[in-house]
Amino acid sequence: MKKIILSALLALFFLNTKAQEKLTVKVHPGVELFTIVQILAEQFPDPNPSTYSKEVMEYFGKYKDHPAVLKVKSFNKVFTDLTELGWTMSDFPNIKIYEPTADLNWYKHNGKENTLEYIKLCRDFFNDTKFWDFYQAHTAKYEKWGEEIKKEVNESGVMNQLQKFYGFNADVQWYICIDPLNSWGSHAITTKNLNPQFSNIVVYNTGYFNRKSTDKDEPMFEYKGFDYLVWHEGSHIFLDPSFKKYKKEIDELAYLYNKDDEGMKRNGIGSWEYCLNENMVRSIVGNMYYKYRTEREFKRQVAKETASDFIYVEDLVPYILANYGPDKKYKKFDVFFPTMLKMLKDKHPKK
């Protein structure tokens, strides 16, 4: 009986530990699946040589005529980050597919029907090639490759810095997708546009960039450029409750939306709520630069945002710095948030 109770307690401890896990560093099966299909279609930059890329080609090379490969080969233009479609899939290995909403960029490039057909053909590729067997055989390596990055991110404190700013826990998770076949660059993946069930996950995709490597080298990954992503994309999630709570007050400020501005069009900002959200996020990121970077980096960051036509950053950044924080007038973000709306209304009254 004591053994049963002890086992139950250990299991509960393990589950709680897993539940508290905020940072995942691993190879995402969906991204890896789409990457391999694009490589076989010659619609992806050649990976830097490694023991892994050699194993991939030895295992999957015979599937170059698979319908999924031929489908992506038929697209007019294929972007390297089309592989993000892997996030439309869930419940591996019994894949479920979410069909993204009509405003997905990939629909504009390749057509909605073509894109959805391609996703389903990639699921067929997954099953036909026994992709899951290959993936499972490499899970120990995937975890090993991510250990150093995970350690460096935890030591950087970047996630705690954001949480400290807002003063509360949000249902946000961080996922660094190490991408051993990616030789071209790092980028963020906006999961909420691809699959709503992952909308609380901030994803940063980074590759293996050793151009002097050989097929005898193991892939290596470095922690670079994740800080801005955490502060920016994480803030969208932290701000969500306030935007819902103060929707009426936000809507009343819609006259501030500079919808005819070329900058808004260039940045793809199609509504006042989106415009305000981006201005606030970028202003909060400016605040993070003020606290955790040099004065020069702070000024450069704020100048960059205003030059990108997020015009209310000039109002919001000094207001946040002067009024919000442990030693300022407003110490709780929920109380502070509506004062930012009032400040904008007072500074830019409706004509």
Side-chain angles (χ1 to χ4, degrees), residues 14 18 51 64 121 206 251 275 284 309:
F14 176 75
K18 296 298 283 185
T51 54
K64 288 187 176 181
L121 287 172
T206 189
D251 289 345
C275 173
I284 288 165
D309 293 296

Side-chain angles (χ1 to χ4, degrees), residues 86-342:
W87 280 90
T88 63
M89 296 179 170
S90 62
D91 297 85
F92 294 93
N94 303 310
I95 293 174
K96 293 179 182 177
I97 293 174
Y98 173 79
E99 296 186 0
T101 54
D103 60 351
L104 193 69
N105 278 335
W106 304 118
Y107 293 164
K108 298 172 185 176
H109 291 303
N110 306 310
K112 183 174 182 178
E113 289 184 9
N114 276 331
T115 303
L116 294 177
E117 181 186 357
Y118 175 52
I119 294 171
K120 291 171 184 175
L121 287 172
C122 284
R123 178 175 59 186
D124 292 343
F125 183 94
F126 179 96
N127 294 324
D128 295 341
T129 64
K130 293 185 170 54
F131 176 93
W132 194 244
D133 290 347
F134 180 87
Y135 183 87
Q136 289 292 97
H138 289 81
T139 51
K141 285 189 175 182
Y142 297 156
E143 290 177 10
K144 180 183 176 184
W145 296 341
E147 284 174 0
E148 187 60 29
I149 285 185
K150 194 168 188 177
K151 178 185 174 185
E152 290 177 1
V153 172
N154 284 329
E155 289 177 351
S156 75
V158 64
M159 295 183 293
N160 291 331
Q161 290 164 0
L162 187 69
Q163 185 174 300
K164 185 178 179 181
F165 174 86
Y166 289 96
F168 63 90
N169 289 321
D171 182 23
V172 56
Q173 297 177 30
W174 321 99
Y175 194 121
I176 302 181
C177 176
I178 51 175
D179 197 355
L181 301 174
N182 166 9
S183 63
W184 61 274
S186 303
H187 65 292
I189 296 178
T190 309
T191 49
K192 65 181 179 181
N193 295 338
L194 296 163
N195 198 332
Q197 68 177 295
F198 302 127
S199 60
N200 68 321
I201 302 178
V202 177
V203 181
Y204 178 64
N205 194 83
T206 189
Y208 171 52
F209 306 126
N210 183 4
R211 300 196 180 280
K212 296 180 180 179
S213 64
T214 71
D215 60 12
K216 292 182 174 60
D217 293 316
E218 284 278 307
M220 299 280 291
F221 300 89
E222 296 180 273
Y223 167 58
K224 288 182 178 179
F226 191 57
D227 299 17
Y228 176 85
L229 178 75
V230 168
W231 293 339
H232 184 110
E233 299 299 336
S235 283
H236 283 300
I237 297 171
F238 273 91
L239 281 172
D240 189 57
S242 294
F243 268 73
K244 288 176 179 175
K245 183 176 180 179
Y246 296 99
K247 186 179 187 308
K248 179 176 177 290
E249 291 83 352
I250 290 169
D251 289 345
E252 289 173 355
L253 294 174
Y255 66 89
L256 293 175
Y257 179 34
N258 50 326
K259 62 182 178 180
D260 296 323
D261 188 278
E262 284 301 316
M264 291 296 94
K265 295 175 183 176
R266 184 178 63 255
N267 288 299
I269 309 297
S271 70
W272 161 241
E273 184 175 331
Y274 188 9
C275 173
L276 179 63
N277 199 296
E278 283 294 336
N279 273 275
M280 281 194 172
V281 163
R282 291 161 194 269
S283 299
I284 288 165
V285 169
N287 182 279
M288 304 303 282
Y289 269 78
Y290 181 84
K291 285 186 175 180
Y292 302 109
R293 294 292 184 269
T294 65
E295 183 179 4
R296 184 179 179 187
E297 287 174 311
F298 160 68
K299 289 180 177 179
R300 185 188 299 135
Q301 182 62 31
V302 173
K304 177 183 174 183
E305 302 296 10
T306 53
S308 297
D309 293 296
F310 294 98
I311 59 176
Y312 299 111
V313 167
E314 286 184 321
D315 298 325
L316 288 164
V317 167
Y319 183 76
I320 294 170
L321 291 175
N323 294 283
Y324 178 68
D327 57 343
K328 302 291 170 55
K329 181 179 180 181
Y330 299 101
K331 297 172 177 59
K332 292 186 177 180
F333 188 77
D334 184 53
V335 176
F336 176 65
F337 181 87
T339 73
M340 289 191 285
L341 303 180
K342 185 178 184 303

